[in-house]
Amino acid sequence: MASNMLVLFVSFSSLLLTSSAQTCNEHTFPNNKVFSNCTDLPQLSSFFHWTYEQATGKLDLAFRHAQIPLTNRWVAWAISPNTLGNLKNYMVGAQALVAIIDSNGATKAYTSSISNYRTVLEKGEISYPNTGLMATYKNNEVTIFATLTLPNHIGSIVHLWQDGPLSGPVPQVHSLDAPHINSKQFLHLV
Ligand SMILES: *[C@@H]1O[C@H](CO)[C@@H](O)[C@H](O)[C@H]1NC(C)=O
C-alpha cells in the first residue's frame, strides 16, 4: 500500500514538473534579451529559448548548455532538416551552430553543415540564412545566440545538441554514452 502511494506520488510530481515547473523560465539573459518560449531539454543539462514568427520563418534562439566546467570543449546545436518526424539518422545533414571554448575560456561561434559521421565540424555555410551568431561562456555555461530564417513556414523542427572535446582547435568525436546519443528531440515551435 505504502509503496503504491509512493509510485503515485512520484508520477504525479513528474507530471507537474513537465507541465509547469520548467527551469528555463527562471533564466534571465545578461543583455536583457527576452524570448517568448523555452523548454528544458531532456539531456545534457541544456535549455532552448526561442521566439518564432511562423509567417516569416524568423527563429530567434538561444541554446544553453550548463555544466561545461572544462574549457577546450565544443558545444553545438543543430536542426536536422532531412529527417522531420524521424529521430533516426538525424546527424548527417544537420545544420549546426558551433561554439568553441578555448583553454582560456574564450569563445567563438560559426556554422557547420554536417555531411558525414566523421565530421570535425568544419566551418561552412548552412542552408538557413542567419544573423547575430555568437557564443558566451560564463559560470560553466555555454550559450549560443542566433537568428535563423526557416523555410516554408514550418511549425516544428527536429533539433539536436551536443558537446565534445577539442584537439588543438579541432572538434573531436563526442561521447557515445546514452545522454550524448539521445540528445535530440522533435520540437513544436508554435
Ligand atoms: C509559447 O508561448 C506562448 C505565450 O506564452 C504560449 O501561448 C505558447 O503555447 C507557447 N508555445 C509553445 C510551443 O510552447
Side-chain angles (χ1 to χ4, degrees):
M1 179 63 187
S3 69
N4 281 347
M5 283 183 63
L6 185 64
V7 168
L8 249 181
F9 178 74
V10 169
S11 36
F12 184 58
S13 22
S14 61
L15 257 183
L16 281 181
L17 269 179
T18 50
S19 60
S20 59
Q22 296 225 70
T23 308
C24 64
N25 284 324
E26 329 253 291
H27 188 75
T28 52
F29 288 92
N31 44 5
N32 289 325
K33 206 165 165 56
V34 175
F35 295 91
S36 308
N37 297 85
C38 73
T39 186
D40 294 1
L41 298 175
Q43 309 289 352
L44 304 181
S45 307
S46 295
F47 308 90
F48 187 66
H49 300 253
W50 77 98
T51 300
Y52 184 54
E53 198 180 83
Q54 193 170 17
T56 60
K58 215 175 118 199
L59 175 65
D60 193 19
L61 70 93
F63 166 75
R64 296 194 290 125
H65 188 325
Q67 295 177 25
I68 302 281
L70 301 171
T71 50
N72 276 321
R73 302 286 295 176
W74 60 266
V75 164
W77 176 88
I79 295 180
S80 182
N82 303 331
T83 54
L84 279 184
N86 174 9
L87 285 180
K88 289 188 186 137
N89 307 324
Y90 54 91
M91 181 177 147
V92 171
Q95 304 293 294
L97 309 178
V98 183
I100 300 289
I101 305 93
D102 74 14
S103 51
N104 300 317
T107 57
K108 66 179 182 198
Y110 63 88
T111 55
S112 180
S113 177
I114 298 175
S115 57
N116 63 72
Y117 284 108
R118 300 168 63 155
T119 182
V120 290
L121 298 175
E122 303 88 336
K123 185 173 181 173
E125 299 217 330
I126 58 171
S127 57
Y128 308 120
N130 58 90
T131 58
L133 174 59
M134 63 170 284
T136 62
Y137 180 63
K138 203 181 170 198
N139 301 329
N140 293 342
E141 181 167 292
V142 176
T143 306
I144 298 173
F145 296 94
T147 303
L148 304 182
T149 303
L150 304 182
N152 306 325
H153 311 291
I154 60 174
S156 46
I157 54 173
V158 169
H159 68 148
L160 45 144
W161 55 98
Q162 200 53 264
D163 65 80
L166 296 177
S167 173
V170 182
Q172 305 295 298
V173 65
H174 61 77
S175 164
L176 296 175
D177 64 11
H180 286 84
I181 60 172
N182 291 313
S183 52
K184 58 198 170 179
Q185 183 187 66
F186 186 79
L187 179 69
H188 291 288
L189 295 170
V190 292

